[in-house]
C-alpha cells in the first residue's frame, strides 16, 4: 500500500499567505503520519503559473510573465522548509515536461471526440478564472467570491464534452460515498452534476498558457492545464523514472471549497476522458477567516506566515492552525489567537508538564544531576490511558480528523498535568515511606510525555524530538510507540521549550 497526497497548486499572482500554508501543513501532517505507521508516501505541492490572472499580475508588476512566475514561485518554495514541510516534489505548470503531458492528454481526449469547437459568451471573473451564470452573480454583476464586477466575454473556443460524462459521474458518486469528505461537501458536489454544461477549455484572447497542439491560435484554459499537474508530476519528479504505476491515483487530494467544483466535477470527467483512474478521496477543508471573510490575497486581509515562523519556528504555527480551526470547517484566525494558544497550550500545558516532570525526576531521583526513568507497574491507570490515547489518535489520524487527533492528545496532556497535582510528588518526597509511589508517579509522567511526543510528531516534528530528548529518548526510538520506551533512560535538567510570550513582552 502507498499513500499519495496533493495540495492544490497555488496561483503565483502574489506571495503565499497563511491560507496556502494551512493546506500545505495539513498535507504534510498526513504524510508524516503515514510514514510514521510505515506506509510509503509521496507528497506533491507546487504552483499554477498560467492564465490571464497571472499574465495580468506580471504586467502590473512590469515583468515578463516567466520572470515574474519564477520569482513568485520561489516564494512558495522558500516557505516549505520554513514550515518544515517534507514534500517529495514541487511542480510548476511552466515545467516543460508538464506542458508536454497536458498536450498529450488533451490530444487523446480530442482524438476520442470529447473536444469540439464552439462560441461562448458569459460573465467571466479573472480572479476565479471561470465563467458565472446570471443567477450566480451578486448585485451589480459582481463575483460571489471576490465581490468585484465580472466581465462579459465572448469567444470561440474548444469545448470539452462534460455533459457526456454526467451518467458516469453520477454512478461514481453513488458507488463511492466517501470519495469526497466531509459529507456536506460530497452533497454539494453531487448537486453540481445536475446542471452540467460543456466546458470551454481553451482561450484565444491570451497567449500565456500551454498551446493547443491542433490549433496554434489558442492556449489551454488554465484549469485543464492545472488539474493534470497531479498526474504529470509523477512522470518526471524523479529523473529517469515514472512513479505513476506506484502512486497513481492520489490517495487523498486536499483543498478548500473555493475549488470544489473543479476537483469534484471537471477533474473526474477529465480523467475519465483521458482513461486515467480517479483519486480515491478529496478532502475539502474549510476557510481560514479574518473578521468573518475568507482570508485571501484578493481580499487584502491575509496573514503572512513568514514573520510568525521567523519568531517562533514552524511548530507553533503548524499546531495553531490545526488546533484553532476544526479541520473540515471554517474558522477565524488572528495574531492574538495565535499568541493565546501559544501561551495557554504550548507554554503552559505542554511546556510546564515537560519541564516540571523532568525537573522533579532530577531533583528527587537524580544522582549527580542525572536520573534514570523508573519502571512503572503494569496496572498503571496512566498506562491504560496512554494506550487508549494512542488507539484513538491513530484512528482519527487515519480518518484525516487532524484536529480531533490533536484534541485527543491534549486531553491526555491535561490528564498528565492533573496527575502531577493529584500525586503531588513534592509532598511524597518528604516521606521515605512514599518512595515507591514517587518513583512510579515520575515514571508514569516520563512514559506519558514520550507518548505525547510520539503523537505530536506529525504536527510538531522538532518539538516532539526535543520533548522526547528531555526524557532521554532519541528520535529513532520515538518512531515506534510502546509503553515502556522511557524506562531506564537518563534525564537531566530540562531546557525551556516554549518561552512565554507574556514574559517575553514584559
Ligand atoms: O485556486 N483558507 O490557487 P489559489 C483555507 N491555482 N485555505 C485557503 C485559503 C483560506 N483562506 N486561501 C487559500 C487555485 N487557501 C488554483 C488551484 S489546483 C489544480 C489549482 C488554499 O492560489 C486552499 O487550499 O487560489 C485553496 O483551495 C487554495 O489555497 C487556493 O489557492
Amino acid at each position: 500500500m502507498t499513500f499519495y497526497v496533493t495540495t492544490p497548486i497555488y496561483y503565483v499572482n502574489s506571495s503565499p499567505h497563511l491560507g496556502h500554508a494551512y493546506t500545505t501543513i495539513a498535507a504534510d501532517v498526513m504524510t508524516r503520519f503515514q510514514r510514521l505507521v510505515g506506509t510509503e508516501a509521496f507528497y506533491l505541492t507546487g504552483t499554477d503559473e498560467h492564465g490571464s490572472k497571472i499574465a495580468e499580475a506580471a504586467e502590473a508588476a512590469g515583468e515578463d510573465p516567466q520572470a515574474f512566475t519564477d520569482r513568485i514561485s520561489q516564494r512558495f518554495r522558500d516557505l516549505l522548509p520554513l514550515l518544515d514541510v517534507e514534500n517529495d516534489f514541487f511542480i510548476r505548470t511552466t515545467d516543460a515536461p508538464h506542458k508536454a503531458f497536458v498536450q498529450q492528454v488533451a490530444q487523446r481526449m480530442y482524438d476520442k471526440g470529447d473536444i469540439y469547437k464552439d462560441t461562448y459568451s458569459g460573465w467571466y471573473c479573472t480572479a476565479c478564472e471561470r465563467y458565472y451564470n446570471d443567477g450566480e452573480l451578486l448585485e451589480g454583476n459582481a463575483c460571489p467570491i471576490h465581490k468585484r464586477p465580472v466581465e462579459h466575454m465572448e469567444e470561440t473556443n474548444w469545448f470539452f464534452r462534460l455533459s457526456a460524462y454526467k451518467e458516469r459521474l453520477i454512478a461514481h458518486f453513488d458507488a463511492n460515498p466517501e470519495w469526497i469528505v466531509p459529507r456536506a461537501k460530497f452533497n454539494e458536489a453531487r448537486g453540481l452534476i445536475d446542471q452540467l454544461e460543456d466546458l470551454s477549455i481553451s482561450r484565444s484572447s491570451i497567449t500565456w498558457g500551454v498551446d493547443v497542439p491542433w490549433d496554434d491560435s489558442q492556449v489551454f484554459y488554465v484549469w485543464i492545464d492545472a488539474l493534470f499537474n497531479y498526474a504529470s508530476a509523477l512522470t518526471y519528479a524523479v529523473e529517469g523514472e515514472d512513479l505513476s504505476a506506484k502512486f497513481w491515483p492520489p490517495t487523498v487530494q486536499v483543498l478548500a471549497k473555493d475549488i470544489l467544483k473543479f476537483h469534484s466535477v471537471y477533474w473526474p470527467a477529465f480523467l475519465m476522458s483521458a482513461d486515467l483512474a480517479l483519486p480515491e478521496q478529496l478532502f475539502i477543508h474549510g476557510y481560514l477567516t479574518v473578521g468573518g471573510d475568507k482570508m485571501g490575497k484578493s481580499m487584502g486581509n491575509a496573514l503572512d506566515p513568514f514573520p510568525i515562523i521567523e519568531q517562533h519556528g514552524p511548530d507553533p504555527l503548524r499546531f495553531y492552525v490545526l488546533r484553532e480551526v476544526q479541520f473540515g470547517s471554517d474558522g477565524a484566525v488572528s495574531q492574538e489567537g495565535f499568541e493565546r494558544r501559544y501561551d495557554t497550550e504550548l507554554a503552559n500545558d505542554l511546556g510546564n508538564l515537560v519541564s516540571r516532570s523532568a525537573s522533579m525526576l532530577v531533583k528527587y531521583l537524580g544522582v549527580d544531576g542525572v536520573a534514570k526513568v523508573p519502571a512503572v507497574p503494569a496496572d498503571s491507570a496512566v498506562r491504560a490511558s496512554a494506550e487508549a490515547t494512542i488507539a484513538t489518535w491513530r484512528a482519527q489520524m487515519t480518518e484525516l480528523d487532524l484536529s480531533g487527533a490533536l484534541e485527543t492528545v491534549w486531553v491526555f496532556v491535561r490528564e498528565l498535568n492533573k496527575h502531577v497535582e493529584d500525586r503531588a510528588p513534592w509532598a511524597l518526597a518528604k516521606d521515605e515511606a512514599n518512595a515507591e509511589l514517587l518513583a512510579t508517579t515520575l515514571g508514569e509522567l516520563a512514559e506519558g510525555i514520550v507518548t505525547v511526543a510520539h503523537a505530536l510528531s506529525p504536527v510538531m516534528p522538532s518539538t516532539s524530538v526535543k520533548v522526547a530528548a528531555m526524557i532521554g529518548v532519541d528520535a529513532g526510538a520515538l518512531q515506534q510507540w510502546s509503553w515502556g520506551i522511557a524506562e531506564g533512560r537518563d534525564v537531566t535538567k530540562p531546557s525551556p521549550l516554549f518561552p512565554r510570550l507574556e514574559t517575553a513582552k514584559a
Side-chain angles (χ1 to χ4, degrees):
M1 204 181 73
T2 56
F3 181 82
Y4 176 30
V5 62
T6 67
T7 71
I9 46 170
Y10 307 115
Y11 284 130
V12 291
N13 56 333
S14 66
S15 291
H17 60 70
L18 194 61
H20 303 117
Y22 182 52
T23 316
T24 304
I25 290 168
D28 186 60
V29 169
M30 294 174 191
T31 307
R32 286 177 181 269
F33 172 73
Q34 290 299 328
R35 294 195 171 126
L36 198 62
V37 298
T39 307
E40 191 177 359
F42 192 90
Y43 173 11
L44 178 72
T45 186
T47 43
D48 190 355
E49 307 188 5
H50 290 130
S52 43
K53 172 148 110 171
I54 310 297
E56 281 170 19
E59 201 179 318
E63 280 178 76
D64 154 76
Q66 188 63 59
F68 177 78
T69 55
D70 286 349
R71 185 166 64 79
I72 310 285
S73 174
Q74 188 59 48
R75 293 281 289 165
F76 282 87
R77 258 168 302 154
D78 289 344
L79 186 60
L80 299 172
L82 294 176
L83 287 172
D84 207 356
V85 160
E86 291 186 333
N87 58 307
D88 293 281
F89 189 57
F90 188 95
I91 189 166
R92 301 183 56 189
T93 52
T94 50
D95 292 343
H98 168 74
K99 292 196 269 188
F101 185 97
V102 170
Q103 289 182 321
Q104 207 186 345
V105 165
Q107 184 72 52
R108 209 153 73 216
M109 293 159 69
Y110 177 71
D111 294 343
K112 213 173 170 180
D114 278 347
I115 294 176
Y116 64 93
K117 205 168 194 170
D118 203 358
T119 299
Y120 190 83
S121 69
W123 299 105
Y124 199 75
C125 172
T126 312
C128 296
E129 293 281 15
R130 59 165 283 197
Y131 282 102
Y132 281 99
N133 302 326
D134 285 323
E136 293 174 296
L137 296 176
L138 304 178
E139 221 170 286
N141 282 349
C143 160
I145 292 181
H146 296 92
K147 311 199 164 89
R148 293 195 313 215
V150 290
E151 282 173 67
H152 195 264
M153 299 231 293
E154 180 170 313
E155 278 197 285
T156 297
N157 298 135
W158 293 98
F159 278 73
F160 172 65
R161 236 177 265 287
L162 183 59
S163 54
Y165 286 88
K166 185 170 176 172
E167 300 311 317
R168 279 183 68 185
L169 285 172
I170 291 174
H172 183 73
F173 273 73
D174 288 349
N176 300 280
E178 301 255 297
W179 103 273
I180 298 176
V181 281
R183 183 72 197 174
K185 296 294 177 298
F186 175 96
N187 293 336
E188 199 177 318
R190 174 65 187 79
L192 297 170
I193 303 176
D194 294 331
Q195 338 123 22
L196 275 198
E197 284 175 23
D198 288 355
L199 176 74
S200 146
I201 56 155
S202 73
R203 299 284 180 269
S204 58
S205 50
I206 55 167
T207 51
W208 182 240
V210 177
D211 295 329
V212 174
W214 60 87
D215 176 359
D216 60 12
S217 72
Q218 304 245 345
V219 299
F220 283 114
Y221 170 47
V222 63
W223 274 96
I224 189 165
D225 164 4
L227 285 162
F228 278 107
N229 90 85
Y230 302 129
S232 74
L234 294 179
T235 65
Y236 69 98
V238 176
E239 213 184 317
E241 225 181 303
D242 187 344
L243 300 175
S244 311
K246 189 170 187 182
F247 290 111
W248 190 262
T251 316
V252 58
Q253 304 205 262
V254 189
L255 49 130
K257 62 187 171 192
D258 48 348
I259 50 179
L260 176 65
K261 182 172 182 175
F262 301 97
H263 285 80
S264 63
V265 183
Y266 300 169
W267 177 223
F270 289 159
L271 288 169
M272 287 169 183
S273 173
D275 293 317
L276 288 169
L278 269 50
E280 282 165 31
Q281 190 166 70
L282 306 181
F283 189 98
I284 319 299
H285 64 64
Y287 288 149
L288 302 189
T289 61
V290 175
D293 285 320
K294 179 194 173 202
M295 181 193 299
K297 43 205 167 195
S298 27
M299 306 292 295
N301 62 359
L303 282 182
D304 183 352
F306 287 97
I308 304 177
I309 304 166
E310 197 173 316
Q311 194 181 350
H312 305 285
D315 286 8
L317 183 66
R318 293 169 63 103
F319 172 78
Y320 172 67
V321 287
L322 293 176
R323 180 91 174 115
E324 186 83 352
V325 180
Q326 178 67 35
F327 193 56
S329 311
D330 293 354
V333 290
S334 64
Q335 183 69 29
E336 301 72 53
F338 170 80
E339 289 173 9
R340 207 174 317 121
R341 285 247 180 226
Y342 179 100
D343 271 340
T344 56
E345 300 195 333
L346 295 180
N348 282 358
D349 295 347
L350 180 62
N352 281 350
L353 171 68
V354 178
S355 75
R356 66 180 173 167
S357 301
S359 299
M360 289 190 293
L361 272 153
V362 174
K363 184 166 177 191
Y364 302 131
L365 307 179
V367 177
D368 296 332
V370 183
K372 290 245 174 266
V373 174
V376 178
D379 62 354
S380 154
V382 178
R383 173 184 184 154
S385 178
E387 280 166 353
T389 297
I390 290 291
T392 307
W393 164 81
R394 193 169 286 157
Q396 287 168 318
M397 289 297 284
T398 306
E399 291 283 300
L400 309 182
D401 180 7
L402 307 185
S403 308
L406 261 183
E407 173 63 13
T408 298
V409 178
W410 231 256
V411 167
F412 186 58
V413 166
R414 293 196 178 120
E415 208 177 294
L416 291 173
N417 274 320
K418 184 161 183 302
H419 195 55
V420 175
E421 300 303 326
D422 290 350
R423 287 276 173 88
W426 47 91
L428 295 175
K430 287 187 181 140
D431 185 349
E432 192 48 37
N434 292 325
E436 205 179 307
L437 188 58
L438 175 64
T440 298
T441 303
L442 295 176
E444 286 170 330
L445 291 172
E447 298 292 352
I449 287 169
V450 176
T451 305
V452 169
H454 175 81
L456 283 182
S457 66
V459 176
M460 297 203 281
S462 48
T463 298
S464 71
V465 168
K466 266 195 240 164
V467 165
M470 286 193 209
I471 307 298
V473 173
D474 60 39
L478 195 61
Q479 297 286 308
Q480 296 273 332
W481 181 82
S482 63
W483 181 264
I485 311 178
E487 189 182 327
R489 309 266 178 177
D490 289 342
V491 178
T492 54
K493 190 172 173 293
S495 45
L497 258 184
F498 296 104
R500 285 177 64 92
L501 297 176
E502 289 164 11
T503 343
K505 272 188 217 147

